[in-house]
Amino acid sequence: MVLKISLLFSLLFAAFLLIISCNAANANERKVRIVYMGEHPKGQVSAATTHHTILKAILGSDSSAKESLIYSYRSFNGFAAKLTDEDVEKLSGIWPEHESFNDVGLGAPPSKWKGTCQGVNFTCNNKIIGARYYKSENYYEGTNSPRDYMGHGTHTSSTAAGNRIVGASYYGVANGTARGGVPGARIAMYKVCWFLGCSSADILAAFDDAISDGVDIISVSIGAFWPIPYDEDAIAIGAFHAMKHGILTSNSAGNDGPSPYSVSNYAPWTLTVAASTIDRKFVARAVLGNGQVLTGLSINSFDLHGKSFPLIWGGDAANYSAGGSQDYSKYCITGYLNSYKVEGKIVFCEVLWYGTGVREANGAGIIMADDHITDFAFNFALPATQISTSDGEKVLEYIQATENPTATILLGETWTDYMAPYVVSFSSRGPNPISPDILKPDLTAPGVDILAAWSPVASASVDPDDPRSVDYNIVSGTSMSCPHASGAAAYVKAAHPDWSPAAIKSALMTTATVLDPKKHVDLEFAYGSGQINPTQAIKPGLVYDANETDYINFLCKQGYNTTTLRLITGDKSSVCGSTSPGPAWDLNYPSFSLAVVDGQPIYGLFTRTVTNVGSPNATYNVRVSSQPGFTISVEPTTLSFSNVGDKKSFTVKVTGPKIAQQLITSGAIIWTDSDHKYVVRSPVVVYNVLPTPYIDYSIPQKKQTNFQGSSVYHKKNGILGRD
Ligand SMILES: *[C@@H]1O[C@H](CO)[C@@H](O)[C@H](O)[C@H]1NC(C)=O
Ligand SMILES: *[C@@H]1O[C@H](CO)[C@@H](O)[C@H](O)[C@H]1NC(C)=O
Ligand SMILES: *[C@@H]1O[C@H](CO)[C@@H](O)[C@H](O)[C@H]1NC(C)=O
Ligand SMILES: *[C@@H]1O[C@H](CO)[C@@H](O)[C@H](O)[C@H]1NC(C)=O
Ligand SMILES: *[C@@H]1O[C@H](CO)[C@@H](O)[C@H](O)[C@H]1NC(C)=O
Ligand SMILES: *[C@@H]1O[C@H](CO)[C@@H](O)[C@H](O)[C@H]1NC(C)=O
């Protein structure tokens, strides 16, 4: 099974990482291992950089890392390298001594806590109250420590539940008070799959322990590399068990956007979190000798005090003896630059690269021209900025027209991003590749240029050989947004300890702040219900609750039979009776998704039940809105409650003319109480799918035959967007 793992738990959070490979016979033999990783923090310029960094941390030197690395996969986050089993064990975790995890003011763990701390040279305290690791095969040797060498696990854990720390910054950048979503929460880390042969059994064991240890929220940044059915997805299965035990699992949506169908972790019993921007933008200006000022994206902590340096185009500095040529050196690719020419100069490079090449050739700084990334910034080991390719042309023209071109790079600036919040380009998008009628992602949370705690032994920038050590770093990814949502979920759970996972999820979704549709061509497929609004989420008024029985009914309708259902529930008494397969319109989900076969009329009939969790005596009226082209009607339009806990049902009919080639069109159903205290909003999305031999969404009540699940249909028709 190929999965990227990142288990974080609030009252429990953990590090990310890792999976897998071929089986090994001899633990000390260096052989090819394929390592699959957790969601890639987008503050890493390239996957290759990250993989190199990891290998260097393990093997101790740059050269051994280079020698060891065989492939660095780009279509998914992983690499193949020659490693011993012992090497593999050193990957990732958390830095327990970090001030973000000190336990000042925290008493002993709650009495229900049954977890333990397993790490060698890894001491838990009243903040980090548990740390476990999982090894499906017990013949491996070496140090067992959940310690973090990469920074990622420390960053995500502190985002969810780190202490309040005054004066946290990245060399003064983003200086201020850093705190996790729920600073009072405890953290437990469950490190899974950190070496070869990591199996689904390990993932399930981690879930199993977390559940019996007594965690409240499980935060998992994990994802398969391509869509897989629920009964083959250890995370979906683990999350199902967590749900049965009253624990919500929060997942990162993935960093494979903006292609459609790229979202991972789409099970309806989990919370799927996209990544959005915050109103802060890191820029750094380059000033050319002719006075031209070019503004680029960069987290630039270096101050050259306005000093000018000679400016050279990478293409004019090829290292020919190393096999370089202008074609490589213009991109400043590591190893292909000539240090005689580059030393002490600012180098102009025609692509965004992680700066290693220029630093190794003793350059003074880098101006990179690249248009691929425009909505988040990187940090580097030397003064650097990333400008647009059109500005890059100006730099090249200046260099070519000038005898002694010069430039400087100014200290980075923090600007206000007035466009924020919007979903960042890399955040994975819907539609749901497996269950077309369940809208994913569910919501979005901040995941761009996030300052949080960092491991002091991890690289301080995207350059793996950056020798500096930092306590805080600024990185981007859905791995960063997921713990924000996990923290919010923990906050709701603290306010309402008796709420089910579905109720907590519903509260977060129906109170989310709607993002501006004009900033997103794919609308809800980018942001789901909107951006988390934790303070409102503790008072949602109504919730769309669901329990194990509801999810079982959903699975049976998805085409599961008793045998495949039990693979998920693990319960011999679970059955799919005579349910005929069909659309998932009756699962009590807090959003509405209608997949319409291309060229067919719009038709969907949904049923929902809301539970009153607001004022005991309340009357809600419905309001609907939609883009032109379809109609939403709700029946009844008024729901009256006289007690907390009362449930009321309604139907939603979505109709319209034939549509074809519709990416997405959307609307909303909004219940508001008469005091205007509660606004309970659910998005409704309508979109086209290919025709299928298994199910026709456009014809209601049709007896379905030979339905084998929409996943089968999608795979067969090859419309999956993931690579
Ligand atoms: C334990 O880890 C800390 C932090 O890295 C380190 O300073 C210390 O030397 C380690 N102790 C042992 C016995 O390895
Ligand atoms: C961060 O801000 C505080 C308060 O304004 C200041 O005392 C401190 O020196 C700043 N830290 C850095 C690294 O700039
Ligand atoms: C050329 O590249 C080789 C291999 O990367 C390196 O060892 C050498 O120092 C480089 N030469 C110069 C002049 O930069
Ligand atoms: C789930 O809720 C339904 C009512 O909504 C109830 O009939 C059923 O027994 C519940 N199932 C479980 C496992 O609690
Ligand atoms: C259940 O579904 C699986 C997968 O579609 C299939 O292989 C199996 O034969 C089915 N079992 C029964 C009892 O129908
Ligand atoms: C409930 O609300 C209705 C309408 O707002 C009001 O007429 C009625 O008196 C209220 N009943 C109670 C018991 O507060």
Side-chain angles (χ1 to χ4, degrees):
M1 158 148 304
V2 182
L3 292 171
K4 306 175 280 186
I5 302 272
S6 164
L7 286 185
L8 300 186
F9 302 94
S10 153
L11 196 204
L12 146 5
F13 288 95
F16 62 144
L17 257 248
L18 247 252
I19 309 212
I20 315 310
S21 98
C22 358
N23 282 324
N26 177 346
N28 292 318
E29 187 189 339
R30 199 155 267 189
K31 44 166 57 195
V32 178
R33 322 288 199 190
I34 299 169
V35 180
Y36 299 104
M37 300 173 53
E39 297 296 357
H40 206 17
K42 283 283 171 159
Q44 312 287 340
V45 174
S46 71
T49 317
T50 315
H51 304 155
H52 181 92
T53 308
I54 295 170
L55 287 171
K56 199 190 165 205
I58 296 164
L59 300 172
S61 84
D62 204 36
S63 55
S64 348
K66 267 186 191 152
E67 194 183 292
S68 156
L69 186 65
I70 298 168
Y71 296 117
S72 193
Y73 303 117
R74 280 171 306 173
S75 53
F76 60 89
N77 188 11
F79 60 86
K82 287 184 203 156
L83 297 172
T84 65
D85 298 337
E86 201 174 322
D87 293 333
V88 177
E89 287 188 3
K90 293 182 191 163
L91 294 157
S92 198
I94 191 170
W95 197 265
E97 293 84 9
H98 198 285
E99 59 183 339
S100 285
F101 309 122
N102 80 47
D103 62 357
V104 174
L106 283 174
S111 56
K112 69 165 185 173
W113 179 247
K114 298 193 210 62
T116 61
C117 201
Q118 293 177 326
V120 170
N121 191 21
F122 187 102
T123 312
C124 286
N125 59 18
N126 285 331
K127 181 71 181 178
I128 299 178
I129 59 173
R132 291 178 186 265
Y133 55 86
Y134 297 85
K135 296 183 167 185
S136 58
E137 309 188 36
N138 60 15
Y139 49 79
Y140 299 111
E141 311 265 327
T143 310
N144 297 324
S145 170
R147 191 169 288 284
D148 179 9
Y149 293 92
M150 288 295 301
H152 184 283
T154 301
H155 197 277
T156 49
S157 304
S158 70
T159 297
N163 295 326
R164 196 173 175 279
I165 304 294
V166 176
S169 75
Y170 178 76
Y171 294 105
V173 178
N175 188 8
T177 299
R179 50 157 279 203
V182 275
R186 329 278 185 145
I187 298 166
M189 177 169 56
Y190 295 75
K191 187 170 177 173
V192 292
C193 304
W194 40 337
F195 63 97
L196 335 193
C198 163
S199 64
S200 300
D202 282 346
I203 299 164
L204 290 171
F207 269 99
D208 195 31
D209 280 344
I211 293 163
S212 58
D213 284 352
V215 306
D216 288 323
I217 299 289
I218 297 178
S219 180
V220 184
S221 297
I222 167 185
F225 298 108
W226 47 80
I228 47 175
Y230 304 121
D231 60 339
E232 291 172 21
D233 180 348
I235 303 308
I237 296 168
F240 190 94
H241 287 259
M243 174 274 297
K244 266 168 80 165
H245 289 86
I247 304 160
L248 177 63
T249 301
S250 163
N251 294 290
S252 52
N255 297 336
D256 302 318
S259 355
Y261 293 100
S262 52
V263 68
S264 47
N265 298 308
Y266 27 72
W269 49 87
T270 71
L271 179 69
T272 311
V273 187
S276 37
T277 56
I278 57 177
D279 64 352
R280 184 160 73 183
K281 185 174 179 172
F282 297 109
V283 300
R285 296 190 232 215
V287 182
L288 307 183
N290 64 4
Q292 276 195 87
V293 179
L294 307 167
T295 303
L297 286 173
S298 177
I299 303 161
N300 180 34
S301 54
F302 298 92
D303 193 351
L304 298 174
H305 302 285
K307 182 169 184 262
S308 279
F309 292 80
L311 175 65
I312 187 170
W313 174 48
D316 286 338
N319 180 332
Y320 294 107
S321 59
S325 72
Q326 198 171 73
D327 288 343
Y328 291 106
S329 66
K330 69 179 179 185
Y331 298 129
C332 303
I333 292 175
T334 313
Y336 293 115
L337 284 176
N338 175 347
S339 62
Y340 300 147
K341 291 204 165 166
V342 162
E343 184 162 6
K345 294 182 185 156
I346 289 179
V347 187
F348 171 65
C349 308
E350 293 188 36
V351 77
L352 179 65
W353 190 251
Y354 48 98
T356 328
V358 175
R359 187 187 41 70
E360 281 181 358
N362 301 318
I366 321 170
I367 299 171
M368 285 165 274
D370 201 312
D371 283 337
H372 289 98
I373 290 166
T374 56
D375 49 9
F376 63 104
F378 296 103
N379 53 13
F380 301 89
L382 68 174
T385 189
Q386 177 217 333
I387 60 175
S388 66
T389 49
S390 60
D391 279 353
E393 282 163 23
K394 294 178 194 161
V395 177
L396 203 50
E397 272 166 31
Y398 165 68
I399 291 174
Q400 284 167 351
T402 312
E403 191 135 354
N404 292 306
T406 61
T408 189
I409 296 167
L410 305 185
L411 178 66
E413 296 165 48
T414 305
W415 286 9
T416 300
D417 184 355
Y418 294 101
M419 288 286 281
Y422 57 91
V423 175
V424 68
S425 52
F426 65 72
S427 184
S428 290
R429 303 309 214 259
N432 188 324
I434 294 287
S435 299
D437 303 315
I438 301 297
L439 176 62
K440 290 285 175 173
D442 290 309
L443 43 67
T444 182
V448 176
D449 295 337
I450 304 299
L451 177 89
W454 201 246
S455 163
V457 297
S459 173
S461 69
V462 293
D463 183 339
D465 299 327
D466 190 333
R468 300 172 300 162
S469 167
V470 290
D471 287 330
Y472 294 89
N473 202 352
I474 299 170
V475 293
S476 304
T478 54
S479 286
M480 284 69 237
S481 64
C482 177
H484 279 91
S486 309
Y491 180 64
V492 175
K493 175 127 188 170
H496 307 284
D498 58 327
W499 283 10
S500 70
I504 294 172
K505 177 173 154 163
S506 173
L508 290 166
M509 288 169 67
T510 62
T511 60
T513 306
V514 184
L515 295 196
D516 185 348
K518 294 192 287 298
K519 294 176 193 164
H520 305 84
V521 283
D522 47 6
L523 308 178
E524 281 84 357
F525 290 149
Y527 48 74
S529 294
Q531 174 149 287
I532 53 164
N533 181 356
T535 53
Q536 201 57 39
I538 58 171
K539 38 183 186 194
L542 304 175
V543 292
Y544 293 80
D545 207 352
N547 64 19
E548 185 189 356
T549 309
D550 300 314
Y551 295 120
I552 287 174
N553 292 339
F554 158 81
L555 287 166
C556 297
K557 278 214 134 184
Q558 288 277 294
Y560 283 77
N561 59 32
T562 298
T563 311
T564 50
L565 174 69
R566 287 178 185 174
L567 295 175
I568 300 169
T569 65
D571 180 348
K572 287 202 176 62
S573 67
S574 309
V575 285
C576 280
S578 54
T579 321
S580 48
W585 295 341
D586 296 339
L587 179 64
N588 204 31
Y589 212 69
S591 60
F592 297 80
S593 174
L594 179 59
V596 178
V597 172
D598 203 29
Q600 292 295 307
I602 298 170
Y603 180 88
L605 185 62
F606 301 81
T607 58
R608 293 292 190 268
T609 300
V610 284
T611 306
N612 182 24
V613 295
S615 314
N617 180 28
T619 298
Y620 284 80
N621 288 302
V622 79
R623 190 156 47 90
V624 299
S625 67
S626 74
Q627 290 181 327
F630 73 103
T631 307
I632 302 170
S633 58
V634 179
E635 187 56 44
T637 55
T638 298
L639 301 174
S640 293
F641 301 88
S642 46
N643 289 296
V644 170
D646 278 1
K647 291 176 188 289
K648 288 281 154 81
S649 297
F650 59 94
T651 60
V652 173
K653 199 169 176 182
V654 181
T655 52
K658 290 179 180 175
I659 53 164
Q661 295 301 313
Q662 182 68 257
L663 166 66
I664 183 173
T665 179
S666 74
I669 293 169
I670 304 148
W671 292 100
T672 313
D673 70 318
S674 43
D675 297 339
H676 295 282
K677 213 165 137 189
Y678 306 109
V679 177
V680 188
R681 185 183 184 279
S682 297
V684 179
V685 309
V686 176
Y687 70 105
N688 279 130
V689 292
L690 291 173
T692 160
Y694 305 115
I695 188 164
D696 184 345
Y697 282 94
S698 64
I699 303 172
Q701 322 306 339
K702 186 184 164 192
K703 176 108 179 76
Q704 305 295 337
T705 53
N706 194 26
F707 179 74
Q708 297 182 16
S710 47
S711 57
V712 176
Y713 147 60
H714 277 288
K715 277 180 185 160
K716 279 201 172 159
N717 289 280
I719 59 167
L720 301 175
R722 294 175 66 90
D723 48 17

